[in-house]
Amino acid sequence: METRQQGAVLFSGILVLIGTLVIIQLWLLTAALEALLARDAGVLLPATLSSLVLFLINAGLLWYVVSFDRRVRRDEGRGVE
Amino acid sequence: MADGVDNSEQWREDFPVRWDVDHYLTRRELAKFLTLGSALLVGATGAIAAIGRFGFQEIRARQWIASAAALQPSGSLLFRYPTSDDPCILVRTAAGELKAYSQVCTHLSCAVRHVPDKDEFFCPCHRGFFAVADGRPLAGPPTRRLPRILLEERDGDVYAVGVEV
Ligand code: FES
């Protein structure tokens, strides 16, 4: 049975992962902008696809967070919010 | 009061949420918020890619610049192309070749000048240098080459026919 204490620790780890991926996405965005200004169109599509992959990983992690939360609520038999 | 803790229920009413529950909720919400930010970043990067894919239309208007005889070797003259807001510079190299570039420095947009004895462009703002032969940066802060103006010589006249960025 999952508890909120476990969840808080687990979510911290997941947040570090998501945060790291978001920072990489920010870097990709600035690299894409730089490439656009340099008229270097070859970099733009790979940057977008990489960013999309990182978003999908983030969405997967969030899906895990949400399903964990559902299990906690179900086990407690009530919602906190 | 026992164990240093006030057991009257007043403080519980003021602070009804336990620390662990509070951490749990804030981290869950932050995960949602960051994932939303992640989606927005994909959208922004995609928008930049779309601009890069569809926004660069090569400019191909034909415009008279000068008569070819007006420029002596190592001489230069200024013109505007493709619009009156785009300063450009036409140069005849020491070898007699005609070259034209945007006059806007690719560092911070100061106007570059021709250095006749070296066949270079010089940007006085931060001492940037560009090669007249191909517009590439030689020294100083600029990292991108100057956009080249495509030229056409016909019947003794020089025309600008496009911009190669
Ligand atoms: S603006 Fe030309 S070197 Fe900085």
Side-chain angles (χ1 to χ4, degrees), chain B residues 105 107-110 123 125-126 128 141-142:
Chain B
C105 177
H107 177 226
L108 291 176
S109 301
C110 288
C123 178
C125 287
H126 312 101

Side-chain angles (χ1 to χ4, degrees), chain A:
Chain A
M1 173 178 143
E2 285 94 350
T3 65
R4 284 173 191 265
Q5 283 96 330
Q6 287 172 335
V9 175
L10 190 65
F11 291 178
S12 303
I14 289 176
L15 273 179
V16 170
L17 275 175
I18 294 181
T20 307
L21 298 185
V22 167
I23 287 168
I24 296 172
Q25 282 187 293
L26 265 174
W27 179 80
L28 285 169
L29 177 73
T30 51
L33 196 55
E34 179 76 13
L36 178 80
L37 294 175
R39 302 292 198 263
D40 183 5
V43 177
L44 300 177
L45 192 63
T48 305
L49 291 179
S50 311
S51 189
L52 182 66
V53 168
L54 296 180
F55 164 69
L56 291 176
I57 296 173
N58 280 343
L61 289 168
L62 180 65
W63 179 82
Y64 181 76
V65 166
V66 169
S67 61
F68 184 97
D69 186 47
R70 272 206 204 105
R71 285 200 298 277
V72 168
R73 287 173 191 235
R74 190 193 57 214
D75 291 345
E76 288 177 354
R78 66 184 171 82
V80 168
E81 286 179 319

Side-chain angles (χ1 to χ4, degrees), chain B residues 85-103:
Chain B
D85 292 329
D86 302 302
C88 301
I89 183 164
L90 173 70
V91 170
R92 190 183 285 284
T93 63
E97 239 185 311
L98 281 173
K99 301 275 183 187
Y101 297 94
S102 162
Q103 207 196 354

Side-chain angles (χ1 to χ4, degrees), chain A residues 5 8 12 25 58 69 81, chain B residues 20 24 27-28 38 56 144:
Chain A
Q5 283 96 330
S12 303
Q25 282 187 293
N58 280 343
D69 186 47
E81 286 179 319
Chain B
D20 52 352
Y24 176 86
R27 287 168 200 180
R28 187 191 69 192
S38 173
F56 294 157
R144 288 178 275 133

